[in-house]
Amino acid sequence: MINLSELKKFALENNILAGVTPAREFTELKEALSDPVPFVEYTREQRTDPSLTLENARSVVCIGCPYPESILTDRGISIAAAGTDYHTTISQMLERLQKSLDITGLYFTDTGPLVDRYTAYLCGLGYYGKSGFIINEKFGTMFFIGYIITDKAFDAYSEPVKGSCGDCRKCLDACPYGAINGGKMDHIKCVSYLTQIKGKLTAEQMKMIGGSVYGCDICQLSCPKNKGKIKITFNEKDYTHFFDLTNKQFKEKYGHTGIAWRGRATIVRNALIAHINTGGSKRDIERFLTDKNEVLSYTAKELLKTDNSCT
Ligand code: B12
């Protein structure tokens, strides 16, 4: 039996959020889950039943780790993807927590079976915002979520936090394509999604990407709950510095960050698009017409057809 107060003490000492909920079948989530969810390959059953991942599951412990207080990011790279990949830092924190409180079981962040935000909600880390984010009074939306499915029981369990965005709809209004609508997400309209899919984009998708190279911060930056929480500096280097990266250089420079999993070609594709969308010179991308990567040569060809003011 583990004491909830020990978990809370660990959270306080490490400046993170933490809570725990009994492992049960989350039947109430089954119907609400849209299907399929992009990038997620688990079944609806696996996503709503921790015992399908850990047979003798008794509790799910969830943590929320804030973004660093100060973030320096390249132009076009979302703040959530800047610096060391959160999959690494959250996993390290979960391992420490497991050792420190002897929480046996399996840990995950982002790529695990359960719905991270719903787990965080049940564990009392915050309430669902209109943006779909879990909002916490201390960290706003700016924290990553990880959890442990454990066979250990706790002496007490957390309660969901009551809270709401009230009349505020700043994130809904800020999203340029109306991707978020009161907690529901239409990912086809989400700029973050468009920067993450691989392959050839349509002319319309290219326009929608705007100046983004990976991810999008618009909804988070518009949220009043995030005001003054972190200091963000955008490195104003233009997008051309992505163009000449070889695979090896890409791995050296970005291998430890959250954009690495998408690979160089997708990032260069997005940088070409962002360059033209923000008025960059077409001459800079002409050499990609003969690139051996078919997606890059196609993207350059399509972009050279477009009408941008600065040629
Ligand atoms: C796929 C995915 C995406 C897709 C979105 C697809 C989608 N339809 O959700 C794309 C690529 C677009 C995306 C973008 C981003 N993502 Co993402 N993503 C995920 C992932 C892997 C799965 C999400 C999922 O299962 N969605 C399915 C929906 C149905 O679940 P849901 O989000 O909980 O939605 C429920 C709510 O809407 C709920 N609901 C609404 N109101 C209420 C109220 C109550 C009371 C209740 C009970 C429920 C409820 O009903 C829905 C059904 O359950 C998760 C990690 C994970 N494994 O869970 C990260 C995750 C959600 N992403 C995250 C982040 C950081 C981002 C980006 C900021 C990245 C970026 N910088 O660009 C953007 C933000 C976009 C946004 N506004 O949400 C974080 C969010 C952290 C947080 N504090 O909330 C997560 C949790 C990763 C992590 N471990 O930290 N993502």
Side-chain angles (χ1 to χ4, degrees):
M1 178 86 69
I2 302 172
N3 291 336
L4 176 60
S5 59
E6 289 295 315
L7 178 64
K8 291 287 175 195
K9 191 167 155 244
F10 180 92
L12 207 65
E13 285 167 0
N14 290 281
N15 190 37
I16 62 168
L17 309 168
V20 59
T21 192
R24 59 173 175 88
E25 203 181 334
F26 306 132
T27 38
E28 70 283 10
L29 184 61
K30 252 188 181 151
E31 278 188 19
L33 256 184
S34 53
D35 208 16
V37 178
F39 310 118
V40 177
E41 283 173 6
Y42 293 100
T43 62
R44 192 180 289 248
E45 283 68 33
Q46 287 169 315
R47 298 211 78 193
T48 52
D49 186 354
S51 75
L52 295 179
T53 299
L54 186 76
E55 209 181 341
N56 46 353
R58 297 190 68 182
S59 314
V60 183
V61 176
C62 188
I63 65 168
C65 300
Y67 294 4
E69 275 171 23
S70 177
I71 297 177
L72 171 66
T73 188
D74 283 346
R75 193 171 169 208
I77 304 291
S78 139
I79 52 173
T84 305
D85 187 349
Y86 76 87
H87 298 86
T88 309
T89 53
I90 310 299
S91 298
Q92 286 167 350
M93 184 62 83
L94 287 164
E95 270 174 33
R96 276 177 56 199
L97 174 59
Q98 280 201 304
K99 278 202 190 108
S100 162
L101 268 69
D102 191 25
I103 307 179
T104 42
L106 301 170
Y107 71 78
F108 304 94
T109 177
D110 194 41
T111 54
L114 303 180
V115 178
D116 293 13
R117 283 172 170 166
Y118 194 65
T119 308
Y121 166 75
L122 291 176
C123 291
L125 268 49
Y127 58 89
Y128 266 104
K130 287 182 187 167
S131 57
F133 277 87
I134 298 300
I135 301 183
N136 171 272
E137 285 305 330
K138 186 172 178 197
F139 299 129
T141 68
M142 293 181 162
F143 62 93
F144 298 109
I145 299 168
Y147 59 88
I148 305 165
I149 307 178
T150 175
D151 54 348
K152 295 280 175 78
F154 277 69
D155 66 337
Y157 287 92
S158 314
E159 289 292 329
V161 175
K162 288 197 175 58
S164 89
C165 298
D167 292 337
C168 180
R169 46 172 293 122
K170 288 202 161 98
C171 60
L172 308 186
D173 294 338
C175 178
Y177 306 106
I180 39 178
N181 187 7
K184 282 270 163 207
M185 143 80 69
D186 184 356
H187 64 267
I188 301 291
K189 297 178 182 165
C190 177
V191 173
S192 177
Y193 170 75
L194 296 175
T195 63
Q196 294 183 47
I197 49 175
K198 284 192 168 185
K200 297 173 182 173
L201 299 181
T202 64
E204 191 195 4
Q205 289 173 324
M206 289 192 204
K207 268 267 163 279
M208 286 169 78
I209 277 189
S212 296
V213 175
Y214 184 90
C216 175
D217 296 322
I218 295 175
C219 55
Q220 289 207 86
L221 293 181
S222 70
C223 178
K225 296 288 181 187
N226 290 331
K227 249 205 161 94
K229 296 274 192 282
I230 58 176
K231 184 173 173 284
I232 305 164
T233 314
F234 288 98
N235 183 340
E236 284 306 322
K237 276 195 298 224
D238 74 18
Y239 299 103
T240 55
H241 71 96
F242 287 106
F243 295 176
D244 292 321
L245 292 174
T246 61
N247 277 330
K248 188 166 175 272
Q249 286 164 335
F250 178 76
K251 276 193 196 124
E252 274 163 15
K253 194 162 175 220
Y254 293 103
H256 66 293
T257 77
I259 73 170
W261 76 289
R262 275 297 68 174
R264 172 194 160 271
T266 306
I267 298 300
V268 173
R269 176 201 70 186
N270 296 343
L272 293 172
I273 298 169
H275 181 69
I276 295 302
N277 281 347
T278 55
S281 168
K282 286 186 175 175
R283 278 190 297 273
D284 297 331
I285 70 162
E286 271 168 5
R287 67 198 144 102
F288 283 93
L289 284 172
T290 53
D291 199 280
K292 61 180 190 300
N293 181 305
E294 209 199 320
V295 171
L296 295 183
S297 56
Y298 163 86
T299 304
K301 191 169 121 234
E302 289 302 304
L303 288 168
L304 288 169
K305 282 191 217 157
T306 60
D307 188 21
N308 82 329
S309 51
C310 179
T311 50

